[in-house]
Amino acid sequence: MIILKFPDFIQTYTFSFDLRLFLITNKEHKDLVDNLEECTQMFNNVTNYFQWKPKAGDDPLPRDFFAALIIFCSDFKDNWKKEQQRIHKEKFEIARKRVKQIKDEYNVKESPSKRKTNLKAKALSQMTKKTQKKGH
């Protein structure tokens, strides 16, 4: 069996390096544990806010909660769009009625695009001309 003897400074350096690495890793581990506890508390607050309860006997898992939340959000988005369309139609109808009311107030009459050229209209116009001449 061969045992190699290292000089003291190499052993000291190696031990010092390993100790620093351990301390850094230990601090990172502690930070991760703290983050996990904080996230767990936040998750519990969110589930309590939405009054979500896991199935009986199960631990609350984020995947179960978020699966239910995705369905809720999707339904909410669809209902929101329908409600916005309904409001838009309602406002359009109000504006259309207001324009009609304003037109009626000022007696805005649309000019006929075509003159009446049928025989009945011609006969009526000639009769009115004749009655006007007789009256004078």
Side-chain angles (χ1 to χ4, degrees):
M1 186 167 168
I2 301 174
I3 298 176
L4 297 175
K5 298 226 176 195
F6 291 105
D8 287 338
F9 72 93
I10 292 177
Q11 287 179 346
T12 305
Y13 178 77
T14 306
F15 177 74
S16 173
F17 179 76
D18 289 343
L19 185 59
R20 280 190 208 127
L21 184 62
F22 174 76
L23 292 174
I24 291 170
T25 308
N26 190 25
K27 183 181 180 326
E28 288 176 0
H29 179 263
K30 184 181 179 312
D31 290 344
L32 288 173
V33 169
D34 291 343
N35 285 340
L36 177 63
E37 289 173 3
E38 183 180 348
C39 289
T40 302
Q41 183 60 37
M42 286 181 178
F43 176 72
N44 290 334
N45 291 341
V46 169
T47 57
N48 289 337
Y49 178 79
F50 286 105
Q51 300 175 357
W52 180 77
K53 302 287 182 203
K55 294 179 182 176
D58 290 343
D59 290 333
L61 295 174
R63 69 171 178 248
D64 298 332
F65 172 72
F66 288 113
L69 187 65
I70 287 172
I71 294 169
F72 168 78
C73 290
S74 176
D75 291 346
F76 183 83
K77 181 186 78 168
D78 294 341
N79 288 335
W80 174 264
K81 284 182 179 179
K82 287 178 185 177
E83 186 67 18
Q84 291 301 311
Q85 288 175 348
R86 186 191 65 78
I87 290 170
H88 180 68
K89 283 181 183 179
E90 190 176 282
K91 287 182 179 180
F92 181 76
E93 279 297 314
I94 291 171
R96 188 183 61 76
K97 287 178 182 178
R98 180 68 181 140
V99 167
K100 186 177 187 275
Q101 180 185 7
I102 291 171
K103 279 184 177 180
D104 290 344
E105 285 176 6
Y106 291 106
N107 293 326
V108 175
K109 295 181 181 178
E110 296 179 14
S111 60
S113 59
K114 295 182 180 179
R115 289 181 54 186
K116 293 182 181 179
T117 57
N118 59 17
L119 291 175
K120 188 175 182 181
K122 286 182 181 179
L124 283 174
S125 67
Q126 287 178 359
M127 288 175 58
T128 55
K129 287 180 185 177
K130 286 181 183 179
T131 55
Q132 287 175 357
K133 286 182 182 178
K134 287 183 183 179
H136 288 300

